[in-house]
Amino acid sequence: MYNELSKLLSTGDKNTLAELIKHYCENASFEERQNLALHAEKIRNEVYGARVFFRGLIEVSNYCKNDCYYCGIRKGNKNAIRYRLDENQILSSCAMGHKMGFRTFVLQGGEDAYFTDERLCSIIYKIKNEFSDSAVTLSLGERSFDSYKKLFGAGADRYLLRHETANVKHYARLHPPQLNFENRKKCLYDLKEIGFQVGAGFMVNSPYQTYKTLADDFMFLHNLQPHMVGIGPFIAHKDTRFAGVENKSSDKTVVILSLVRIMLSKALIPATTALNSIDTKGREKGLRAGANVLMPNLTPTIYRDNYNLYDNKLSVGLESVQGIEILKKHIEELGLIADFSRGDHKDINFI
Ligand code: SAM
Protein backbone atom coordinates (compact mmCIF):
# COMPACT_ATOMS: atom_id res chain seq x y z
CA MET A 1 0.00 0.00 0.00
CA TYR A 2 2.74 2.44 1.02
CA ASN A 3 4.76 1.50 -2.06
CA GLU A 4 1.77 1.91 -4.34
CA LEU A 5 0.95 5.34 -2.91
CA SER A 6 4.50 6.62 -2.93
CA LYS A 7 5.05 5.43 -6.52
CA LEU A 8 1.97 7.34 -7.68
CA LEU A 9 3.10 10.43 -5.76
CA SER A 10 6.63 10.39 -7.11
CA THR A 11 5.57 9.76 -10.71
CA GLY A 12 2.82 12.39 -10.40
CA ASP A 13 0.22 9.98 -11.78
CA LYS A 14 -2.80 11.90 -10.54
CA ASN A 15 -5.43 9.88 -12.39
CA THR A 16 -4.38 6.58 -10.84
CA LEU A 17 -3.99 8.32 -7.48
CA ALA A 18 -7.58 9.58 -7.76
CA GLU A 19 -8.68 6.00 -8.55
CA LEU A 20 -6.84 4.66 -5.53
CA ILE A 21 -8.44 7.22 -3.19
CA LYS A 22 -11.84 6.45 -4.73
CA HIS A 23 -11.31 2.73 -4.28
CA TYR A 24 -10.70 3.05 -0.54
CA CYS A 25 -13.51 5.59 -0.08
CA GLU A 26 -16.18 3.83 -2.13
CA ASN A 27 -15.42 0.27 -3.17
CA ALA A 28 -13.18 -1.25 -0.53
CA SER A 29 -14.66 -3.93 1.68
CA PHE A 30 -15.09 -3.36 5.42
CA GLU A 31 -12.09 -5.63 6.00
CA GLU A 32 -9.93 -3.73 3.51
CA ARG A 33 -10.76 -0.44 5.23
CA GLN A 34 -10.06 -1.92 8.61
CA ASN A 35 -6.66 -3.12 7.41
CA LEU A 36 -5.96 0.35 6.05
CA ALA A 37 -6.72 1.91 9.44
CA LEU A 38 -4.61 -0.71 11.24
CA HIS A 39 -1.71 -0.06 8.88
CA ALA A 40 -1.99 3.70 9.50
CA GLU A 41 -2.08 3.15 13.28
CA LYS A 42 0.98 0.92 13.07
CA ILE A 43 2.91 3.60 11.18
CA ARG A 44 1.89 6.28 13.70
CA ASN A 45 2.93 4.04 16.59
CA GLU A 46 6.30 3.28 15.01
CA VAL A 47 7.07 7.01 14.75
CA TYR A 48 5.50 8.50 17.89
CA GLY A 49 4.40 5.53 19.97
CA ALA A 50 0.73 5.12 20.82
CA ARG A 51 0.62 8.75 21.98
CA VAL A 52 -2.09 11.33 21.61
CA PHE A 53 -0.76 14.87 21.91
CA PHE A 54 -3.00 17.40 23.62
CA ARG A 55 -3.19 21.05 22.56
CA GLY A 56 -5.23 23.75 24.26
CA LEU A 57 -7.31 25.58 21.66
CA ILE A 58 -8.09 29.26 22.23
CA GLU A 59 -10.47 30.78 19.69
CA VAL A 60 -9.30 34.37 19.93
CA SER A 61 -11.71 36.13 17.57
CA ASN A 62 -14.57 35.42 15.20
CA TYR A 63 -14.19 38.72 13.33
CA CYS A 64 -13.02 37.99 9.82
CA LYS A 65 -12.36 40.17 6.79
CA ASN A 66 -12.90 37.21 4.45
CA ASP A 67 -16.05 35.75 3.00
CA CYS A 68 -15.16 32.08 2.48
CA TYR A 69 -18.38 30.65 1.08
CA TYR A 70 -18.52 27.68 3.48
CA CYS A 71 -17.65 29.38 6.76
CA GLY A 72 -20.08 30.46 9.48
CA ILE A 73 -17.88 33.34 10.67
CA ARG A 74 -17.43 34.83 7.18
CA LYS A 75 -17.60 38.61 7.08
CA GLY A 76 -20.98 38.71 5.33
CA ASN A 77 -22.81 36.66 7.98
CA LYS A 78 -24.87 39.30 9.75
CA ASN A 79 -26.25 36.70 12.18
CA ALA A 80 -22.84 35.95 13.67
CA ILE A 81 -22.41 37.43 17.13
CA ARG A 82 -18.90 38.82 17.04
CA TYR A 83 -16.35 38.70 19.86
CA ARG A 84 -12.64 38.90 20.39
CA LEU A 85 -10.46 38.11 23.37
CA ASP A 86 -8.04 40.69 24.71
CA GLU A 87 -4.49 39.99 25.82
CA ASN A 88 -5.49 39.35 29.44
CA GLN A 89 -8.20 36.88 28.46
CA ILE A 90 -5.78 35.01 26.22
CA LEU A 91 -3.12 34.91 28.92
CA SER A 92 -5.55 33.71 31.57
CA SER A 93 -6.81 30.98 29.22
CA CYS A 94 -3.19 29.85 28.82
CA ALA A 95 -2.69 29.99 32.60
CA MET A 96 -5.73 27.78 33.14
CA GLY A 97 -4.49 25.35 30.46
CA HIS A 98 -0.97 25.31 31.83
CA LYS A 99 -2.27 24.38 35.28
CA MET A 100 -4.11 21.47 33.71
CA GLY A 101 -0.88 20.31 32.06
CA PHE A 102 -1.14 21.69 28.51
CA ARG A 103 2.18 22.63 26.93
CA THR A 104 0.89 23.80 23.57
CA PHE A 105 -1.51 26.69 23.09
CA VAL A 106 -3.20 27.15 19.74
CA LEU A 107 -4.44 30.68 19.06
CA GLN A 108 -6.98 30.46 16.26
CA GLY A 109 -9.25 33.09 14.78
CA GLY A 110 -10.68 34.82 11.77
CA GLU A 111 -8.56 37.38 9.91
CA ASP A 112 -9.20 40.18 12.37
CA ALA A 113 -7.37 43.49 11.75
CA TYR A 114 -7.35 44.12 15.52
CA PHE A 115 -4.60 41.51 15.80
CA THR A 116 -1.80 43.64 14.39
CA ASP A 117 1.76 42.34 14.41
CA GLU A 118 2.44 44.54 17.41
CA ARG A 119 -0.47 43.17 19.46
CA LEU A 120 0.24 39.59 18.49
CA CYS A 121 3.97 39.86 19.19
CA SER A 122 3.21 41.23 22.63
CA ILE A 123 0.81 38.34 23.34
CA ILE A 124 3.23 35.68 22.03
CA TYR A 125 6.13 37.20 23.93
CA LYS A 126 4.15 37.17 27.18
CA ILE A 127 2.95 33.59 26.73
CA LYS A 128 6.49 32.41 26.02
CA ASN A 129 7.81 34.38 28.95
CA GLU A 130 5.27 33.09 31.45
CA PHE A 131 5.11 29.54 30.13
CA SER A 132 8.59 29.02 28.77
CA ASP A 133 8.12 25.25 28.56
CA SER A 134 5.20 25.63 26.15
CA ALA A 135 4.77 25.92 22.39
CA VAL A 136 2.62 28.54 20.70
CA THR A 137 0.74 27.61 17.56
CA LEU A 138 -0.99 30.30 15.54
CA SER A 139 -3.86 29.86 13.11
CA LEU A 140 -4.78 33.35 12.01
CA GLY A 141 -4.92 33.11 8.26
CA GLU A 142 -2.97 34.75 5.47
CA ARG A 143 -0.41 37.42 6.38
CA SER A 144 2.70 38.85 4.71
CA PHE A 145 6.15 37.26 4.86
CA ASP A 146 7.30 40.14 7.11
CA SER A 147 4.37 39.66 9.46
CA TYR A 148 5.00 35.90 9.80
CA LYS A 149 8.67 36.67 10.39
CA LYS A 150 7.83 39.04 13.25
CA LEU A 151 5.51 36.49 14.85
CA PHE A 152 8.21 33.83 14.61
CA GLY A 153 10.72 36.30 16.04
CA ALA A 154 8.40 36.90 19.01
CA GLY A 155 8.52 33.17 19.76
CA ALA A 156 5.65 31.49 17.89
CA ASP A 157 6.59 27.91 17.06
CA ARG A 158 3.96 26.59 14.68
CA TYR A 159 1.37 27.87 12.20
CA LEU A 160 -1.76 26.12 10.96
CA LEU A 161 -3.10 27.25 7.61
CA ARG A 162 -5.18 24.67 5.82
CA HIS A 163 -4.66 24.95 2.08
CA GLU A 164 -8.41 24.09 1.76
CA THR A 165 -8.03 22.61 -1.74
CA ALA A 166 -5.01 22.43 -4.03
CA ASN A 167 -7.13 22.63 -7.15
CA VAL A 168 -7.24 26.20 -8.45
CA LYS A 169 -10.74 25.91 -9.95
CA HIS A 170 -12.11 24.21 -6.86
CA TYR A 171 -10.51 26.92 -4.69
CA ALA A 172 -12.34 29.56 -6.72
CA ARG A 173 -15.68 27.81 -6.16
CA LEU A 174 -15.22 27.93 -2.38
CA HIS A 175 -13.80 31.43 -2.03
CA PRO A 176 -14.48 34.96 -3.30
CA PRO A 177 -12.19 36.35 -6.04
CA GLN A 178 -10.02 38.23 -3.51
CA LEU A 179 -8.71 34.89 -2.26
CA ASN A 180 -6.73 32.50 -4.37
CA PHE A 181 -4.82 29.27 -4.07
CA GLU A 182 -1.53 30.83 -5.24
CA ASN A 183 -1.42 33.16 -2.24
CA ARG A 184 -2.46 30.42 0.16
CA LYS A 185 0.36 28.28 -1.19
CA LYS A 186 2.84 31.16 -0.98
CA CYS A 187 1.91 31.70 2.69
CA LEU A 188 2.58 28.04 3.47
CA TYR A 189 5.97 28.08 1.75
CA ASP A 190 6.83 31.42 3.43
CA LEU A 191 5.99 29.94 6.84
CA LYS A 192 8.18 26.94 6.15
CA GLU A 193 11.07 29.09 4.96
CA ILE A 194 10.87 31.22 8.12
CA GLY A 195 11.18 28.15 10.30
CA PHE A 196 7.67 27.48 11.60
CA GLN A 197 6.38 23.95 12.02
CA VAL A 198 3.68 24.22 9.40
CA GLY A 199 0.22 22.70 9.16
CA ALA A 200 -1.80 22.43 5.95
CA GLY A 201 -5.01 20.50 5.32
CA PHE A 202 -8.50 20.47 3.89
CA MET A 203 -12.14 19.59 4.44
CA VAL A 204 -13.45 16.26 3.20
CA ASN A 205 -16.69 16.39 1.19
CA SER A 206 -16.49 20.13 0.63
CA PRO A 207 -18.85 21.24 -2.16
CA TYR A 208 -17.51 20.44 -5.67
CA GLN A 209 -14.74 18.22 -4.27
CA THR A 210 -13.93 15.25 -6.53
CA TYR A 211 -11.42 12.42 -6.38
CA LYS A 212 -9.30 14.44 -8.82
CA THR A 213 -9.22 17.46 -6.51
CA LEU A 214 -8.37 15.09 -3.66
CA ALA A 215 -5.49 13.72 -5.74
CA ASP A 216 -4.32 17.35 -6.12
CA ASP A 217 -4.47 17.68 -2.32
CA PHE A 218 -2.35 14.57 -1.87
CA MET A 219 0.22 15.76 -4.42
CA PHE A 220 0.35 19.17 -2.76
CA LEU A 221 0.89 17.68 0.71
CA HIS A 222 3.51 15.32 -0.67
CA ASN A 223 5.44 18.26 -2.14
CA LEU A 224 5.01 20.60 0.85
CA GLN A 225 5.81 17.96 3.48
CA PRO A 226 3.99 19.82 6.27
CA HIS A 227 4.62 19.00 9.91
CA MET A 228 0.90 18.93 10.68
CA VAL A 229 -2.17 18.10 8.61
CA GLY A 230 -5.68 19.16 9.61
CA ILE A 231 -8.36 17.08 7.92
CA GLY A 232 -11.98 17.28 8.95
CA PRO A 233 -15.35 16.82 7.30
CA PHE A 234 -17.16 19.74 5.68
CA ILE A 235 -20.29 20.53 7.68
CA ALA A 236 -22.89 22.92 6.31
CA HIS A 237 -23.64 26.18 8.11
CA LYS A 238 -27.15 27.62 7.90
CA ASP A 239 -25.98 31.16 7.03
CA THR A 240 -23.88 30.22 4.02
CA ARG A 241 -24.69 29.48 0.38
CA PHE A 242 -24.10 25.79 1.18
CA ALA A 243 -26.80 25.74 3.85
CA GLY A 244 -28.80 22.96 2.22
CA VAL A 245 -25.89 20.65 1.50
CA GLU A 246 -26.39 17.31 3.19
CA ASN A 247 -23.72 16.32 5.70
CA LYS A 248 -22.09 13.03 4.73
CA SER A 249 -21.01 10.22 7.04
CA SER A 250 -17.58 10.27 8.63
CA ASP A 251 -16.35 7.25 6.62
CA LYS A 252 -14.57 9.15 3.87
CA THR A 253 -12.79 11.47 6.32
CA VAL A 254 -11.56 8.46 8.27
CA VAL A 255 -10.21 6.73 5.13
CA ILE A 256 -8.46 9.92 4.02
CA LEU A 257 -6.92 10.36 7.47
CA SER A 258 -5.38 6.91 7.12
CA LEU A 259 -4.10 7.53 3.60
CA VAL A 260 -2.51 10.81 4.71
CA ARG A 261 -0.90 9.09 7.71
CA ILE A 262 0.55 6.45 5.37
CA MET A 263 1.82 9.18 3.03
CA LEU A 264 3.26 11.45 5.78
CA SER A 265 4.33 9.07 8.53
CA LYS A 266 5.74 11.76 10.81
CA ALA A 267 2.89 14.26 10.54
CA LEU A 268 0.94 15.41 13.57
CA ILE A 269 -2.68 14.83 12.60
CA PRO A 270 -5.67 15.83 14.75
CA ALA A 271 -8.89 13.92 15.21
CA THR A 272 -10.84 17.12 14.68
CA THR A 273 -13.81 18.60 16.51
CA ALA A 274 -15.66 18.56 13.18
CA LEU A 275 -15.19 14.78 12.91
CA ASN A 276 -16.60 14.33 16.37
CA SER A 277 -19.42 16.78 15.62
CA ILE A 278 -20.78 14.62 12.76
CA ASP A 279 -20.15 11.27 14.41
CA THR A 280 -20.44 10.52 18.11
CA LYS A 281 -17.59 8.04 17.65
CA GLY A 282 -15.58 10.41 15.43
CA ARG A 283 -12.75 10.98 17.88
CA GLU A 284 -12.24 7.27 18.42
CA LYS A 285 -12.46 6.50 14.70
CA GLY A 286 -9.93 9.24 13.90
CA LEU A 287 -7.46 8.01 16.49
CA ARG A 288 -7.97 4.45 15.28
CA ALA A 289 -7.19 5.59 11.75
CA GLY A 290 -3.80 7.14 12.51
CA ALA A 291 -4.57 10.57 14.01
CA ASN A 292 -2.48 11.55 17.04
CA VAL A 293 -3.58 14.99 18.23
CA LEU A 294 -6.58 16.31 20.18
CA MET A 295 -7.35 19.97 20.70
CA PRO A 296 -9.73 20.50 23.62
CA ASN A 297 -11.29 23.93 23.79
CA LEU A 298 -9.82 26.44 26.28
CA THR A 299 -11.79 29.46 25.05
CA PRO A 300 -13.75 31.19 27.85
CA THR A 301 -17.11 29.39 27.86
CA ILE A 302 -19.22 32.53 27.30
CA TYR A 303 -17.75 32.97 23.80
CA ARG A 304 -17.63 29.36 22.63
CA ASP A 305 -20.97 29.20 20.88
CA ASN A 306 -20.04 32.24 18.83
CA TYR A 307 -17.08 30.56 17.13
CA ASN A 308 -19.61 28.88 15.00
CA LEU A 309 -17.86 27.66 11.84
CA TYR A 310 -20.55 25.09 11.03
CA ASP A 311 -23.88 23.99 12.50
CA ASN A 312 -23.87 21.94 15.71
CA LYS A 313 -20.16 22.43 16.36
CA LEU A 314 -19.22 20.79 19.65
CA SER A 315 -17.42 22.94 22.20
CA VAL A 316 -18.41 21.40 25.51
CA GLY A 317 -18.07 18.00 27.18
CA LEU A 318 -15.11 16.03 25.92
CA GLU A 319 -14.34 18.70 23.32
CA SER A 320 -13.55 21.13 26.12
CA VAL A 321 -10.99 21.28 28.91
CA GLN A 322 -13.87 20.92 31.36
CA GLY A 323 -14.10 17.28 30.29
CA ILE A 324 -10.37 16.66 30.36
CA GLU A 325 -10.24 13.96 33.02
CA ILE A 326 -12.93 11.91 31.30
CA LEU A 327 -11.18 12.43 27.98
CA LYS A 328 -7.87 11.18 29.40
CA LYS A 329 -9.61 8.06 30.66
CA HIS A 330 -11.27 7.57 27.30
CA ILE A 331 -7.85 7.74 25.59
CA GLU A 332 -6.43 5.16 28.00
CA GLU A 333 -9.39 2.86 27.40
CA LEU A 334 -8.45 2.93 23.71
CA GLY A 335 -4.99 1.69 24.68
CA LEU A 336 -3.42 5.07 23.90
CA ILE A 337 -1.29 7.40 26.02
CA ALA A 338 -2.47 10.96 26.75
CA ASP A 339 0.61 13.12 26.21
CA PHE A 340 0.58 16.72 27.43
CA SER A 341 4.16 17.55 26.45
CA ARG A 342 4.93 20.11 23.70
CA GLY A 343 4.69 17.27 21.22
CA ASP A 344 6.86 18.71 18.48
CA HIS A 345 7.24 17.09 15.09
CA LYS A 346 9.73 14.23 15.05
CA ASP A 347 12.30 16.17 13.01
CA ILE A 348 12.36 19.18 15.34
CA ASN A 349 14.97 19.13 18.05
CA PHE A 350 13.58 21.29 20.79
CA ILE A 351 16.01 22.01 23.60
N1 SAM B 1 -8.71 32.23 9.61
C1 SAM B 1 -7.84 31.13 9.78
C2 SAM B 1 -7.57 30.43 8.48
O1 SAM B 1 -8.05 30.87 7.44
O2 SAM B 1 -6.81 29.47 8.48
C3 SAM B 1 -8.30 30.14 10.83
C4 SAM B 1 -9.76 30.03 11.09
S1 SAM B 1 -10.65 29.10 9.87
C5 SAM B 1 -12.30 29.38 10.39
C6 SAM B 1 -10.29 27.43 10.38
C7 SAM B 1 -10.74 26.31 9.48
O3 SAM B 1 -12.12 26.06 9.67
C8 SAM B 1 -10.63 26.52 8.00
O4 SAM B 1 -9.34 26.26 7.56
C9 SAM B 1 -11.69 25.57 7.42
O5 SAM B 1 -11.10 24.42 6.81
C10 SAM B 1 -12.53 25.19 8.64
N2 SAM B 1 -13.97 25.41 8.36
C11 SAM B 1 -14.57 26.56 8.07
N3 SAM B 1 -15.87 26.35 7.75
C12 SAM B 1 -16.09 25.01 7.87
C13 SAM B 1 -17.21 24.17 7.64
N4 SAM B 1 -18.37 24.66 7.23
N5 SAM B 1 -17.06 22.84 7.86
C14 SAM B 1 -15.89 22.34 8.28
N6 SAM B 1 -14.78 23.08 8.48
C15 SAM B 1 -14.87 24.41 8.27
Side-chain angles (χ1 to χ4, degrees), residues 67-241:
D67 240 323
C68 304
Y69 298 154
Y70 46 82
C71 185
I73 63 165
R74 69 196 172 81
K75 176 177 82 180
N77 182 9
K78 302 287 175 249
N79 294 329
I81 301 163
R82 304 287 168 178
Y83 77 94
R84 71 168 62 91
L85 306 185
D86 62 22
E87 186 173 282
N88 286 334
Q89 289 172 309
I90 295 173
L91 285 167
S92 43
S93 302
C94 292
M96 179 171 91
H98 196 265
K99 244 192 212 161
M100 300 174 108
F102 287 91
R103 295 295 180 267
T104 289
F105 301 107
V106 181
L107 275 46
Q108 190 184 81
E111 292 194 20
D112 178 355
Y114 170 86
F115 285 106
T116 57
D117 293 343
E118 207 183 340
R119 284 201 176 101
L120 278 175
C121 286
S122 160
I123 294 166
I124 296 162
Y125 187 78
K126 286 182 184 162
I127 298 176
K128 296 294 286 194
N129 208 32
E130 269 186 54
F131 314 108
S132 56
D133 55 357
S134 301
V136 170
T137 303
L138 303 175
S139 179
L140 300 166
E142 297 177 22
R143 302 176 78 95
S144 67
F145 184 92
D146 281 355
S147 169
Y148 287 146
K149 205 157 183 208
K150 283 181 191 154
L151 304 179
F152 188 71
D157 302 88
R158 310 181 190 136
Y159 205 103
L160 304 174
L161 185 77
R162 287 186 178 180
H163 65 277
E164 311 297 0
T165 169
N167 179 287
V168 174
K169 285 190 188 146
H170 186 209
Y171 201 94
R173 298 183 88 172
L174 297 177
H175 300 95
Q178 298 84 337
L179 299 172
N180 59 71
F181 176 62
E182 278 315 309
N183 197 53
R184 200 80 178 168
K185 180 175 169 185
K186 179 185 180 303
C187 288
L188 282 161
Y189 277 91
D190 283 353
L191 288 160
K192 230 182 161 195
E193 186 185 329
I194 291 166
F196 281 97
Q197 290 173 60
V198 173
F202 56 91
M203 295 176 284
V204 175
N205 285 322
S206 64
Y208 313 112
Q209 185 176 66
T210 64
Y211 288 104
K212 286 210 167 127
T213 67
L214 282 168
D216 288 331
D217 291 320
F218 275 62
M219 287 302 307
F220 178 73
L221 291 174
H222 173 70
N223 292 331
L224 176 69
Q225 292 286 314
H227 304 87
M228 303 167 282
V229 188
I231 290 168
F234 161 77
I235 306 176
H237 186 286
K238 63 179 174 28
D239 298 320
T240 64
R241 65 177 65 187

Side-chain angles (χ1 to χ4, degrees), residues 301-317:
T301 39
I302 49 163
Y303 299 116
R304 282 205 201 146
D305 283 351
N306 299 337
Y307 199 77
N308 192 12
L309 307 180
Y310 44 82
D311 291 338
N312 305 315
K313 174 173 170 274
L314 295 180
S315 63
V316 294

